[in-house]
Amino acid sequence: MIGGAERLLAQVVRELVEGGWRVVVVSTELQHMGPNDTISWFETVTPEVYALPRFLKPAQWRDFIDYLFASRRFDAVLLAGSRLFYRILSDLKKGYPELAIVDFLFNTDGHVKLHRDVMSLLAGVLCENAEVRDWCLAAGWRSHEITLVESRIDVTAYAEGPRPLDLVERLVIRPEDIVVGYSGRLSEEKAPEIFVEVAILCRQEPRLRFVMTGGGRLADEIERRVSRAPAETRIKVCGVVDDVKPYFTLYDVFVLPSFKDGRPIAVLEALASGCAVVASFVGGLPALVENDVNGYLVPPGDAAVIATHLLTLAADPNRLAALQIAARQVAERNFDRRFADASYARAIESAVERVRRSVD
């Protein structure tokens, strides 16, 4: 039951399906990434995907959800930020006492307030990073009810190597250029406007080239800001792309200036691609980026500090190369999902077992 974080959740659904689960996806919020919404990411994994805003008016959502629960024999609900489901959990639990409800928390902002209100109805909580786990312990969860499943990727799918020739030609990238990238959702919490501001601040360094991919609510605003930037600002907005991997191969540095975040997949992809990372000191990002090892952590929203780091790296190519080598090494050592100790499926199975024991 999802209301956000679709990219990671699509990976979760894939793991569950591959583990033998029948998964029904219900979304109460559509995140638009250009001309399409992100529901297509789930439709390639499981046949039952219901994006309620696509075909029902909000007043009809509850009736449809009641129909789903009456017609399917759900063992568990994995809740991920849907405000509607927080509101109706009490009714669902009364009607289906053996239902194991697990909440998936990505950061300590946002819907954690709603989480507190329904804690007594939940069988467990999935945490994406250690900061969230510590918050859950402080909130009253017992350690055996918390599962820390840190997001990971298949590092082998991301390649270091020469820049993709088609992108080099299309974006007119010179051999001496240092490409700084942003790939992700264009939404308030990710602060993509800060990336544009950084490009403006760095406009006097001709080797720094800025490239953005992604879509979202702020797409039009980003286009407006870029169109108003000084003429010498070297930034290209590419919009939504079918495959982001070639862009990560193109980037030398990846910048994520989020105001709030969890453990973003984009940073893992950047590190696996050998990009130095400059990211905000928020959420789970300090567990991914180590200052002066594989990148830099900066105060959220501080364009001037980000620009200073980029200008320093432009003046010191050996330092940049060292950060890039370390980035790939850190990804191979720490973020490859082939070597994960915990799994989403096992966490949900444990919650189902606890609920069944309590009902019996």
Side-chain angles (χ1 to χ4, degrees), residues 2-7 9 27-42 51 53-54 80-81 185-189 215-218 240:
I2 60 177
E6 285 85 353
R7 196 161 180 217
L9 288 167
S27 177
T28 57
E29 179 179 336
L30 297 182
Q31 294 291 345
H32 290 278
M33 299 289 284
N36 301 311
D37 58 57
T38 55
I39 291 301
S40 60
W41 299 348
F42 298 92
R54 278 186 178 178
R185 183 177 296 164
L186 304 182
S187 57
E188 290 81 358
E189 70 276 6
R217 291 187 297 271
L218 296 183
V240 178

Side-chain angles (χ1 to χ4, degrees), residues 283-323:
L285 285 166
L288 308 181
V289 180
E290 185 176 353
N291 268 322
D292 213 29
V293 175
N294 59 351
Y296 299 100
L297 292 167
V298 301
D302 198 329
V305 173
I306 297 173
T308 297
H309 282 305
L310 296 178
L311 292 169
T312 300
L313 292 176
D316 189 352
N318 291 332
R319 183 74 214 125
L320 174 58
L323 295 177

Side-chain angles (χ1 to χ4, degrees), residues 31-311:
Q31 294 291 345
H32 290 278
M33 299 289 284
N36 301 311
D37 58 57
T38 55
I39 291 301
S40 60
W41 299 348
F42 298 92
E43 291 171 333
T44 62
V45 181
T46 182
E48 281 203 86
V49 179
Y50 302 102
L52 302 189
R54 278 186 178 178
F55 65 97
L56 291 175
K57 296 178 180 179
Q60 300 171 309
W61 291 1
R62 177 62 191 273
D63 288 342
F64 183 77
I65 291 167
D66 288 342
Y67 157 75
L68 283 180
F69 275 82
S71 59
R72 275 70 166 171
R73 299 182 63 181
F74 292 129
D75 296 297
V77 169
L78 179 60
L79 179 61
S82 172
R83 293 180 180 274
L84 171 62
F85 272 88
Y86 279 118
R87 292 199 302 269
I88 67 175
L89 280 189
S90 180
D91 290 343
L92 290 177
K93 193 63 178 174
K94 289 177 183 176
Y96 306 93
E98 292 189 0
L99 186 67
I101 305 170
V102 178
D103 202 3
F104 199 168
L105 297 180
F106 306 95
N107 54 58
T108 56
D109 294 312
H111 64 274
V112 292
K113 295 177 182 178
L114 297 171
H115 172 90
R116 280 186 180 274
D117 294 337
V118 299
M119 279 181 60
S120 63
L121 304 173
L122 301 175
V125 58
L126 280 175
C127 302
E128 191 203 19
N129 58 72
E131 181 190 47
V132 176
R133 177 199 58 198
D134 295 343
W135 181 92
C136 288
L137 288 169
W141 282 102
R142 292 172 292 184
S143 58
H144 72 276
E145 298 168 326
I146 301 171
T147 303
L148 174 64
V149 187
E150 296 175 318
S151 53
R152 294 170 181 255
I153 60 172
D154 179 2
V155 172
T156 62
Y158 296 84
E160 299 175 285
R163 292 168 170 170
L165 184 59
D166 60 330
L167 291 181
V168 168
E169 293 177 347
R170 177 153 53 89
L171 300 175
V172 195
I173 304 297
R174 303 170 302 176
E176 67 270 24
D177 286 339
I178 298 169
V179 182
V180 182
Y182 173 100
S183 290
R185 183 177 296 164
L186 304 182
S187 57
E188 290 81 358
E189 70 276 6
K190 298 292 186 180
E193 72 280 2
I194 300 298
F195 186 82
V196 179
E197 186 177 345
V198 171
I200 294 172
L201 292 174
C202 292
R203 66 187 184 277
Q204 300 305 324
E205 172 48 75
R207 291 171 298 164
L208 286 174
R209 298 289 304 277
F210 292 79
V211 176
M212 300 184 76
T213 74
R217 291 187 297 271
L218 296 183
D220 291 341
E221 174 62 21
I222 294 302
E223 290 283 3
R224 281 193 293 270
R225 287 176 182 252
V226 170
S227 68
R228 297 170 186 163
E232 61 270 29
T233 305
R234 289 164 296 279
I235 183 169
K236 176 67 174 178
V237 179
C238 300
V240 178
V241 297
D242 292 332
D243 185 5
V244 76
K245 291 176 185 176
Y247 287 85
F248 282 115
T249 305
L250 176 72
Y251 301 156
D252 296 292
V253 184
F254 181 74
V255 172
L256 188 64
S258 303
F259 288 115
K260 65 178 182 179
D261 223 317
R263 184 183 166 95
I265 295 293
V267 170
L268 303 183
E269 293 174 317
L271 293 170
S273 302
C275 301
V277 173
V278 182
S280 297
F281 196 106
V282 295
L285 285 166
L288 308 181
V289 180
E290 185 176 353
N291 268 322
D292 213 29
V293 175
N294 59 351
Y296 299 100
L297 292 167
V298 301
D302 198 329
V305 173
I306 297 173
T308 297
H309 282 305
L310 296 178
L311 292 169

